[in-house]
Coordinates of all heavy atoms in Angstrom, one line a residue:
V107 N 19.2 5.8 53.6 CA 18.8 7.1 53.6 C 18.8 7.6 52.0 O 19.7 7.4 51.3 CB 20.0 8.0 54.3 CG1 19.5 9.5 54.2 CG2 20.2 7.6 55.7
G108 N 17.7 8.1 51.7 CA 17.4 8.6 50.3 C 16.8 9.9 50.3 O 16.7 10.7 51.3
G109 N 16.6 10.6 49.2 CA 16.2 11.8 49.0 C 14.8 12.1 49.2 O 14.1 11.1 49.7
L110 N 14.2 13.2 49.0 CA 12.7 13.4 49.3 C 11.8 12.6 48.5 O 10.7 12.3 48.9 CB 12.3 14.9 48.9 CG 12.9 16.0 49.9 CD1 12.6 17.3 49.4 CD2 12.3 15.9 51.3
F111 N 12.3 12.1 47.4 CA 11.4 11.2 46.5 C 11.8 9.7 46.7 O 11.4 8.8 46.0 CB 11.5 11.6 45.0 CG 11.1 13.1 44.9 CD1 12.0 14.0 44.7 CD2 9.7 13.3 44.7 CE1 11.6 15.3 44.5 CE2 9.3 14.7 44.5 CZ 10.2 15.7 44.4
G112 N 12.7 9.5 47.7 CA 13.2 8.2 47.9 C 14.4 7.8 46.9 O 14.7 6.6 46.9
E113 N 14.9 8.8 46.2 CA 15.8 8.5 45.1 C 17.3 8.4 45.9 O 17.6 8.9 46.9 CB 15.9 9.6 44.1 CG 16.5 10.9 44.5 CD 15.7 11.7 45.3 OE1 14.6 11.3 45.8 OE2 16.0 13.0 45.6
D114 N 18.2 7.7 45.0 CA 19.6 7.7 45.5 C 19.8 7.2 46.8 O 20.6 7.9 47.6 CB 20.3 9.1 45.1 CG 20.1 9.6 43.8 OD1 20.0 8.8 42.8 OD2 20.0 10.8 43.5
Q115 N 19.2 6.1 47.2 CA 19.3 5.7 48.5 C 20.8 5.2 48.8 O 21.4 4.5 47.9 CB 18.4 4.6 48.9 CG 16.9 5.0 48.9 CD 15.9 4.0 49.5 OE1 16.4 2.9 49.8 NE2 14.7 4.3 49.6
E116 N 21.3 5.4 50.0 CA 22.6 4.9 50.4 C 22.4 4.1 51.7 O 21.6 4.5 52.6 CB 23.6 6.0 50.6 CG 23.8 6.9 49.3 CD 25.0 7.8 49.4 OE1 26.0 7.4 50.4 OE2 24.9 9.0 49.0
D117 N 23.2 3.0 51.8 CA 23.0 2.2 52.9 C 24.0 2.6 54.1 O 25.1 3.1 53.8 CB 23.5 0.7 52.6 CG 22.5 0.0 51.5 OD1 21.4 0.7 51.4 OD2 22.9 -0.9 51.1
L118 N 23.5 2.4 55.3 CA 24.4 2.6 56.5 C 24.6 1.1 57.1 O 23.6 0.3 57.3 CB 23.7 3.3 57.7 CG 23.7 4.9 57.6 CD1 22.7 5.4 56.4 CD2 23.4 5.4 59.0
V119 N 25.8 0.7 57.3 CA 26.1 -0.6 57.7 C 26.9 -0.5 59.0 O 27.6 0.4 59.4 CB 26.9 -1.5 56.7 CG1 26.1 -1.6 55.4 CG2 28.2 -0.8 56.5
S120 N 26.8 -1.6 59.8 CA 27.5 -1.6 61.1 C 28.9 -1.7 60.9 O 29.5 -2.6 60.0 CB 27.1 -3.0 61.9 OG 27.7 -3.0 63.1
P121 N 29.7 -0.9 61.7 CA 31.2 -1.0 61.4 C 31.9 -1.9 62.2 O 33.1 -2.2 62.1 CB 31.7 0.4 62.1 CG 30.6 0.7 63.1 CD 29.3 0.1 62.6
S122 N 31.2 -2.8 63.0 CA 31.8 -3.8 63.9 C 30.6 -4.9 64.4 O 29.5 -4.7 64.2 CB 32.4 -3.2 65.2 OG 31.4 -2.6 66.0
D123 N 31.1 -6.0 64.8 CA 30.3 -6.9 65.6 C 30.0 -6.2 67.0 O 30.8 -5.6 67.6 CB 31.0 -8.1 65.9 CG 31.3 -9.1 64.5 OD1 30.9 -8.5 63.6 OD2 32.0 -10.1 64.8
G124 N 28.8 -6.3 67.3 CA 28.4 -5.6 68.5 C 26.9 -5.5 68.7 O 26.0 -6.2 68.2
V125 N 26.5 -4.5 69.6 CA 25.0 -4.2 70.0 C 24.9 -2.9 69.8 O 25.5 -1.8 70.0 CB 25.0 -4.6 71.4 CG1 23.4 -4.3 71.9 CG2 25.1 -6.1 71.7
I126 N 23.7 -2.5 69.1 CA 23.2 -1.1 69.0 C 22.7 -0.6 70.3 O 21.8 -1.3 70.9 CB 22.1 -1.0 68.0 CG1 22.6 -1.5 66.6 CG2 21.7 0.4 67.8 CD1 21.4 -1.5 65.6
I127 N 23.4 0.3 70.9 CA 23.1 0.9 72.2 C 22.4 2.3 72.1 O 21.9 2.8 73.2 CB 24.3 0.9 73.2 CG1 25.3 1.9 72.6 CG2 24.8 -0.4 73.4 CD1 26.5 2.2 73.5
G128 N 22.2 2.8 71.0 CA 21.5 3.9 70.8 C 21.1 4.3 69.3 O 21.8 3.9 68.4
H129 N 20.0 4.9 69.2 CA 19.7 5.3 67.7 C 18.9 6.5 67.6 O 18.2 7.0 68.7 CB 18.8 4.1 67.0 CG 17.5 3.9 67.6 ND1 17.3 3.0 68.6 CD2 16.3 4.5 67.2 CE1 16.0 3.1 69.0 NE2 15.2 4.0 68.2
A130 N 18.9 7.2 66.5 CA 18.2 8.5 66.3 C 16.7 8.0 66.0 O 16.5 7.0 65.4 CB 18.7 9.3 65.1
T131 N 15.7 8.7 66.6 CA 14.3 8.5 66.4 C 13.6 9.3 65.4 O 12.5 9.2 64.9 CB 13.6 8.7 67.8 OG1 13.7 10.0 68.2 CG2 14.1 7.6 68.8
L132 N 14.4 10.4 64.9 CA 13.9 11.4 63.9 C 14.4 10.9 62.6 O 15.5 10.8 62.3 CB 14.4 12.8 64.3 CG 13.9 14.0 63.3 CD1 12.4 14.1 63.5 CD2 14.6 15.2 63.6
P133 N 13.6 10.6 61.7 CA 13.9 10.0 60.3 C 14.5 11.0 59.3 O 15.0 10.8 58.4 CB 12.6 9.5 59.8 CG 11.6 10.1 60.6 CD 12.1 10.6 61.7
I134 N 14.2 12.3 59.6 CA 14.7 13.5 58.8 C 16.1 13.8 59.1 O 16.3 14.3 60.3 CB 13.8 14.7 58.8 CG1 12.4 14.3 58.3 CG2 14.3 15.8 57.9 CD1 11.3 15.2 58.7
V135 N 17.2 13.7 58.3 CA 18.5 13.8 58.7 C 19.3 14.7 57.7 O 19.0 14.9 56.6 CB 19.2 12.4 58.7 CG1 18.4 11.5 59.6 CG2 19.2 11.7 57.3
N136 N 20.3 15.2 58.3 CA 21.3 16.0 57.5 C 22.5 15.0 57.3 O 22.7 14.1 58.1 CB 21.8 17.2 58.2 CG 20.6 18.3 58.4 OD1 20.1 18.7 57.3 ND2 20.3 18.7 59.6
Q137 N 23.3 15.3 56.3 CA 24.5 14.6 56.1 C 25.5 14.7 57.4 O 25.7 15.8 57.9 CB 25.2 15.1 55.0 CG 26.5 14.3 54.6 CD 27.2 14.7 53.3 OE1 26.5 15.5 52.5 NE2 28.4 14.3 53.1
G138 N 25.9 13.5 57.9 CA 26.7 13.6 59.1 C 26.0 13.5 60.4 O 26.6 13.3 61.4
D139 N 24.7 13.4 60.4 CA 24.0 13.2 61.6 C 24.2 11.8 62.1 O 24.3 10.9 61.4 CB 22.4 13.3 61.4 CG 22.0 14.8 61.3 OD1 22.8 15.7 61.5 OD2 20.7 15.0 61.1
A140 N 24.4 11.7 63.5 CA 24.7 10.4 64.1 C 23.4 9.7 64.3 O 22.4 10.0 64.9 CB 25.4 10.6 65.5
L141 N 23.3 8.5 63.6 CA 22.1 7.8 63.4 C 22.1 6.4 64.4 O 21.0 6.2 64.9 CB 21.8 7.3 62.1 CG 21.6 8.5 61.1 CD1 21.2 8.0 59.8 CD2 20.7 9.6 61.6
F142 N 23.2 5.9 64.6 CA 23.3 4.6 65.4 C 24.5 4.6 66.1 O 25.6 5.1 65.7 CB 23.4 3.5 64.5 CG 22.1 3.1 63.7 CD1 21.9 3.6 62.4 CD2 21.1 2.3 64.3 CE1 20.7 3.3 61.7 CE2 19.9 2.0 63.7 CZ 19.6 2.6 62.4
H143 N 24.4 4.1 67.4 CA 25.6 4.1 68.3 C 25.8 2.6 68.6 O 25.0 1.8 69.1 CB 25.3 4.7 69.7 CG 26.6 4.9 70.5 ND1 26.4 5.5 71.8 CD2 27.8 4.8 70.3 CE1 27.7 5.5 72.5 NE2 28.6 5.1 71.2
V144 N 27.0 2.1 68.1 CA 27.2 0.6 68.1 C 28.4 0.3 69.0 O 29.3 0.9 68.9 CB 27.6 0.0 66.7 CG1 27.8 -1.4 66.8 CG2 26.4 0.3 65.8
A145 N 28.1 -0.5 70.1 CA 29.1 -0.9 71.0 C 29.8 -2.1 70.5 O 29.1 -3.2 70.3 CB 28.4 -1.1 72.4
A146 N 31.0 -2.1 70.4 CA 31.8 -3.2 69.8 C 31.8 -4.3 70.9 O 32.1 -4.0 72.0 CB 33.2 -2.8 69.4

């Protein structure tokens, strides 16, 4: 996730071994938006 110019990108990483069972389809996000649902 980066700014409007692609600056200051930050990585989202998986918190556990598992399977992604849900994800956000809208790429425009606010801080704290749920982007991935990972089943451990």
Side-chain angles (χ1 to χ4, degrees):
V107 182
L110 287 177
F111 301 100
E113 77 281 9
D114 302 327
Q115 291 193 357
E116 296 190 39
D117 292 349
L118 278 77
V119 300
S120 177
S122 62
D123 291 356
V125 176
I126 300 173
I127 59 172
H129 69 266
T131 59
L132 186 66
I134 302 166
V135 301
N136 292 301
Q137 183 176 351
D139 282 355
L141 301 188
F142 293 90
H143 195 184
V144 179

